[in-house]
Amino acid sequence: MKFSAAIVGFSFLCVASGFAPNSHPKQYTALHAPENTITHIGTIASSTELGARPKKGAKKSGNSVNLVTKARNEMNEKAKLGDSISEKEVRALFELWNSALATGDSRIVAARYAKKPVLLPTVSDQPRTDYESVKDYFDSFILKKPQGKIVDGIIHIGNGWASDMGIYEFTMGATGDKVKARYTYNYIKEDGVWKIQHHHSSVMPEEIAMGKAITEDEVRGLFSLWNNALATLDPKKVASRYAKKGVLLPTVSDVPRTDFPSIEDYFINFLKLKPQGEILESHVTIGTNWSQDAGIYEFTMGATGKKVKGRYSFVY
């Protein structure tokens, strides 16, 4: 998600004026800023961002193969359940798969799938339908050190099969990121062992449509980006922090600035004072694809040493 300043209002504390919307107008959604100045908020890593895969054809040591075989056999023993499986046992099959992830070995994870599986992964467009292709997917995914938990799940049990579907959440140990997704596991009994025959994992659709919600700290962090732009003393860089149809109601000008040239024009003079701001009091409001930070800030003018307080409103 990209956030830029859509509306900024300033006023001296002695002036009875200010700006704060009662609700977010439609034009505040889908705002854009130049690529080199945007703030990117919780994406789901793409398959290319998950890291390079180990080189194919790399030889595994005999000891490594033995450890994998041992781990796989231990998991198979735990998955040797009766034909009449219970809901508790179905859910335990997810924990076995999660434990396989925790080993950090894609071979052990791939071994949890049936001989003719169908894996429709979260961050790959390619269906995986055999051991090698399933392993290939997890070669990359496990580099993030994922650990999952079921947030909400529904289990169905039939004759020789079971399904578990719902929402799970992963914590990526390599980054600390948390990612929710929808899931479906279909289990079958194969050679006496319950295996994953079908696994479908997809990103939460509302996060695709609306983006992951920005936090209050991240909203305040956008002020720091603007303040850093001031520190460059480059009016173009400051103006680039504003949306294409931004509205600036400046502190020391009666003219509303509603486009890039007029915003840049204001900062040509303002930057001569070498201003650096500090938020003294902040009140953040967050909506769908918009946020607002309103309060009191203080500027220190590097050119004169003078300090000036003002009221502010930023809508992003």
Side-chain angles (χ1 to χ4, degrees):
M1 181 177 291
K2 302 175 181 181
F3 280 86
S4 54
I7 296 179
V8 182
F10 307 92
S11 63
F12 288 122
L13 285 175
C14 60
V15 180
S17 63
F19 176 83
N22 293 322
S23 61
H24 63 287
K26 290 183 180 179
Q27 63 264 32
Y28 295 168
T29 62
L31 304 178
H32 298 277
E35 290 295 330
N36 63 338
T37 59
I38 63 169
T39 299
H40 188 145
I41 306 303
T43 54
I44 293 176
S46 69
S47 56
T48 56
E49 291 171 331
L50 291 175
R53 296 185 177 93
K55 292 182 179 179
K56 291 185 178 181
K59 293 183 178 180
K60 307 292 192 302
S61 68
N63 187 47
S64 172
V65 172
N66 289 338
L67 289 174
V68 171
T69 301
K70 181 181 178 182
R72 183 178 59 206
N73 290 341
E74 288 176 352
M75 290 189 179
N76 283 343
E77 284 300 316
K78 292 179 180 179
K80 285 183 178 179
L81 306 170
D83 293 335
S84 182
I85 194 171
S86 68
E87 289 192 8
K88 184 177 180 181
E89 289 170 330
V90 171
R91 184 53 52 79
L93 294 175
F94 169 80
E95 297 302 334
L96 270 183
W97 177 82
N98 203 33
S99 296
L101 288 181
T103 67
D105 194 312
S106 59
R107 295 168 292 175
I108 297 174
V109 182
R112 287 300 309 136
Y113 290 79
K115 294 175 183 176
K116 294 183 178 181
V118 176
L119 167 62
L120 304 177
T122 314
V123 290
S124 172
D125 294 337
Q126 179 186 344
R128 311 301 174 116
T129 56
D130 56 25
Y131 175 88
E132 288 300 328
S133 61
V134 171
K135 176 186 173 298
D136 177 74
Y137 174 72
F138 286 108
D139 283 344
S140 294
F141 186 60
I142 60 175
L143 296 178
K144 297 291 264 182
K145 300 181 180 179
Q147 275 294 277
K149 68 175 182 179
I150 302 286
V151 176
D152 185 20
I154 300 171
I155 291 172
H156 294 291
I157 298 172
N159 184 15
W161 63 270
S163 69
D164 186 358
M165 62 198 82
I167 297 169
Y168 52 17
E169 182 179 67
F170 285 94
T171 299
M172 306 301 179
T175 63
D177 290 342
K178 291 182 180 290
V179 180
K180 282 185 180 179
R182 299 181 295 180
Y183 74 86
T184 299
Y185 292 93
N186 287 341
Y187 300 101
I188 61 170
K189 196 170 186 181
E190 185 176 82
D191 298 329
V193 178
W194 285 90
K195 294 286 187 79
I196 302 166
Q197 191 276 324
H198 172 80
H199 179 192
H200 182 188
S201 184
S202 60
V203 177
M204 302 292 281
E206 291 182 4
E207 289 197 3
I208 297 173
M210 297 185 294
K212 188 177 179 181
I214 192 171
T215 67
E216 290 192 10
D217 286 342
E218 287 168 336
V219 172
R220 293 189 180 97
L222 296 176
F223 170 81
S224 296
L225 284 179
W226 178 79
N227 202 34
N228 290 341
L230 291 181
T232 68
L233 303 180
D234 185 338
K236 289 186 183 295
K237 289 185 178 179
V238 182
S240 294
R241 287 301 310 147
Y242 292 77
K244 293 178 181 178
K245 295 183 179 180
V247 177
L248 167 63
L249 305 178
T251 313
V252 292
S253 172
D254 295 336
V255 181
R257 312 301 174 113
T258 58
D259 56 25
F260 185 94
S262 62
I263 292 172
E264 179 189 8
D265 176 72
Y266 173 75
F267 284 107
I268 287 174
N269 288 319
F270 186 61
L271 290 178
K272 292 177 182 178
L273 297 172
K274 299 182 180 179
Q276 273 295 278
E278 176 187 4
I279 290 180
L280 303 180
E281 183 178 337
S282 168
H283 303 276
V284 173
T285 305
I286 297 173
T288 301
N289 283 348
W290 69 273
S291 61
Q292 174 187 280
D293 186 2
I296 298 171
Y297 55 13
E298 182 177 65
F299 282 95
T300 300
M301 306 301 179
T304 63
K306 186 178 179 180
K307 291 182 180 290
V308 180
K309 286 184 181 180
R311 295 182 294 184
Y312 73 86
S313 294
F314 290 92
V315 177
Y316 301 102

